[in-house]
Amino acid sequence: MKKTLKPLYLLALLPALGQADDAVQAATFGDAISEGKAHVMLRYRFEHVDQDGKSKNANASTLLTRLNYLTKDYNGWQVFLEADNVSEVGIDDFNAGMGNTPNRGEYPIVADPSGTEVNQAWVQFKHNNNKFKLGRQRIVLDNQRFVGGVAWRQNEQTYDSFSMDFNFDDSRLFVAYIDKVHRIFGDDVAAGNHDNQSFLINYSNKLNQNSKLGIYHYNIDNENAAAFSTATTGAFFEWGNKGADLPLNFKAEFAQQSDNADNPVNYTANYYRLDAGIQFKPMKLLAGYEVLTGDANKSGAMFRTPLATLHAFNGWADQFLNTPQAGIEDAFIGSQFNTGSFKWQVLFHDFNVEDGSSDLGNEVDLSVAKKLSKRTKGLFKIAHFDGKGARKDVDKVWFMLQANF
């Protein structure tokens, strides 16, 4: 109870900061409620997984239905409510993971458990460009490598949090206290909700028209999974000459992590990433190198990213959701291009351990997306992971349709 009251006290003081912007606002609190905006999102997805070592292939047919409502601004205050339902549609030959489907162990995991949940429920006060938010909310920082919403999965990851988002002319400071993480596995299993006493600090500054610098510190105290309790401090620099005859972009990032709170392992690990890209109309070529260090001789001493949107990194086949004990090196190249109204992306990854010389495998990813109408879009996506050593081969195929109303 005390952890909840502290943010409430802070939120109660916010009106003293002054009135909100002179934007279009509701005349009364009742008008703010009745004149708000409702939104409905439907997302159907079919996912097929063929994984060596599993006696059956997974075929998951699921539908996400999302309903939300945002009140109109009233003296800087707004309230937002959002509910999600994930349902199995016709085909349920898959293991939803973490004990959600205990009788389907012969299938590979497709982490889309069925159920209905409150995805977001928050109250916000806005003054000028600064926002103060209390409640269950989405938190997405930078490229989501360390803190994200895992929006690829049907059940999104959200946070019970008090957050402050300060926006200045060329910089942003985001600070949050997290009380609980609502993970993608849902409310029906213990792994679905993790109690926390965690703090996030993220600052970025636009140095000039082409460059940006960011620094961050994430102090994670996970009371349900002690191995997730980590303290990570890092910085990145990115540069790009968008609009030039030959657009280029570059990003370099480094972070260091140590154990925190009740983590049973005393360790220090590092993170490195380099990205580069060049735009040839209508094609963009990209390449990168990412390293999460580990220790082949010390269990639990690898760099961890427990709040990340993991599907976006180290291959879409999701074979490295947990960093290997000896760490991982991921060298990748790819291309993004358009053909008419179709948007294509192709990536190739080569994986090796960081502490040692073992080959973990390689992966080819391909996606094509198309906007079907003003409110609908479609996606087709495949991933082929060729495992080495103890790593198993995995093939995944997705077909997805989404509509917004």
Side-chain angles (χ1 to χ4, degrees):
M1 180 62 72
K2 290 182 179 179
K3 290 187 292 182
T4 304
L5 288 177
K6 288 179 182 178
L8 283 173
Y9 291 150
L10 290 171
L11 198 63
L13 296 174
L14 296 180
L17 294 174
Q19 297 298 314
D21 299 334
D22 293 329
V24 178
Q25 300 182 38
T28 68
F29 180 68
D31 290 341
I33 296 175
S34 62
E35 297 174 7
K37 293 183 179 180
H39 174 253
V40 179
M41 189 264 276
L42 301 173
R43 186 170 75 180
Y44 170 79
R45 182 159 66 214
F46 175 81
E47 180 170 342
H48 170 82
V49 184
D50 181 353
Q51 179 176 326
D52 282 0
K54 290 293 183 179
S55 59
K56 296 183 179 180
N57 294 339
N59 292 292
S61 174
T62 59
L63 175 67
L64 165 62
T65 303
R66 173 170 293 167
L67 309 174
N68 60 41
Y69 191 83
L70 176 65
T71 66
K72 197 172 184 179
D73 184 290
Y74 177 67
N75 292 331
W77 294 90
Q78 284 185 293
V79 177
F80 182 75
L81 298 173
E82 181 173 78
D84 285 0
N85 172 266
V86 180
S87 300
E88 296 172 352
V89 182
I91 305 173
D92 60 1
D93 298 333
F94 68 100
N95 179 1
M98 293 297 179
N100 274 290
T101 51
N103 297 322
R104 302 182 195 168
E106 69 272 28
Y107 297 104
I109 291 177
V110 177
D112 289 327
S114 59
T116 301
E117 297 181 7
V118 175
N119 194 50
Q120 296 190 78
W122 48 256
V123 58
Q124 173 181 277
F125 178 77
K126 181 178 179 181
H127 176 66
N128 296 328
N129 292 321
N130 306 315
K131 299 176 183 178
F132 306 84
K133 188 180 294 184
L134 175 67
R136 188 168 304 174
Q137 57 191 273
R138 178 181 294 118
I139 299 179
V140 174
L141 298 178
D142 300 325
N143 62 357
Q144 303 189 56
R145 189 59 179 105
F146 298 107
V147 183
V150 200
W152 169 250
R153 300 269 40 121
Q154 297 286 59
N155 183 33
E156 187 181 12
Q157 177 170 281
T158 54
Y159 304 83
D160 289 351
S161 174
F162 175 68
S163 65
M164 298 179 288
D165 194 351
F166 301 96
N167 292 273
F168 309 100
D169 290 340
D170 295 313
S171 61
R172 178 195 183 197
L173 173 64
F174 180 89
V175 180
Y177 166 77
I178 297 174
D179 180 72
K180 180 175 287 189
V181 180
H182 297 266
R183 305 174 74 222
I184 63 172
F185 304 106
D187 289 339
D188 292 337
V189 295
N193 296 298
H194 282 179
D195 291 330
N196 273 243
Q197 294 188 54
S198 299
F199 294 89
L200 311 176
I201 302 174
N202 182 289
Y203 175 78
S204 60
N205 183 47
K206 186 177 180 181
L207 301 177
N208 53 48
Q209 171 179 326
N210 295 327
S211 59
K212 180 180 179 181
L213 175 69
I215 57 175
Y216 49 83
H217 178 74
Y218 305 135
N219 189 290
I220 300 174
D221 181 357
N222 188 310
E223 298 181 343
N224 296 113
F228 287 176
S229 294
T230 55
T232 302
T233 302
F236 67 84
F237 173 79
E238 60 183 43
W239 176 89
N241 60 343
K242 187 176 181 180
D245 292 337
L246 187 64
L248 305 170
N249 67 273
F250 169 82
K251 182 178 180 180
E253 185 168 4
F254 171 78
Q256 187 168 87
Q257 181 179 97
S258 61
D259 56 286
N260 188 44
D262 295 328
N263 193 317
V265 180
N266 181 11
Y267 76 99
T268 300
N270 295 323
Y271 172 86
Y272 313 86
R273 184 178 174 103
L274 295 173
D275 288 274
I278 182 169
Q279 181 77 53
F280 298 101
K281 293 181 180 180
M283 176 182 291
K284 180 179 182 180
L285 301 179
L286 55 91
Y289 181 66
E290 184 181 61
V291 178
L292 291 81
T293 69
D295 189 331
N297 300 312
K298 186 175 183 180
S299 179
M302 71 288 282
F303 195 102
R304 302 171 185 270
T305 57
L307 301 182
T309 296
L310 294 166
H311 180 76
F313 302 90
N314 304 142
W316 299 338
D318 291 335
Q319 295 307 291
F320 301 101
L321 299 180
N322 297 310
T323 308
Q325 179 177 317
I328 184 173
E329 297 178 349
D330 177 10
F332 58 92
I333 58 173
S335 175
Q336 299 169 343
F337 58 95
N338 299 335
T339 56
S341 59
F342 292 91
K343 295 183 178 181
W344 298 80
Q345 184 170 8
V346 181
L347 290 167
F348 174 80
H349 295 263
D350 182 55
F351 303 109
N352 292 276
V353 300
E354 182 274 329
D355 184 18
S357 58
S358 299
D359 184 358
L360 294 172
N362 55 68
E363 180 170 326
V364 178
D365 298 327
L366 168 69
S367 74
V368 55
K370 177 177 173 57
K371 187 175 182 180
L372 303 174
S373 70
K374 181 180 179 180
R375 300 183 181 276
T376 61
K377 60 184 179 180
L379 175 71
F380 176 75
K381 187 170 172 176
I382 61 175
H384 170 69
F385 176 75
D386 182 12
K388 304 299 182 183
R391 296 277 169 174
K392 305 294 185 181
D393 292 351
V394 178
D395 290 291
K396 294 190 177 185
V397 179
W398 300 268
F399 170 74
M400 189 165 73
L401 289 172
Q402 181 172 318
N404 292 277
F405 304 96

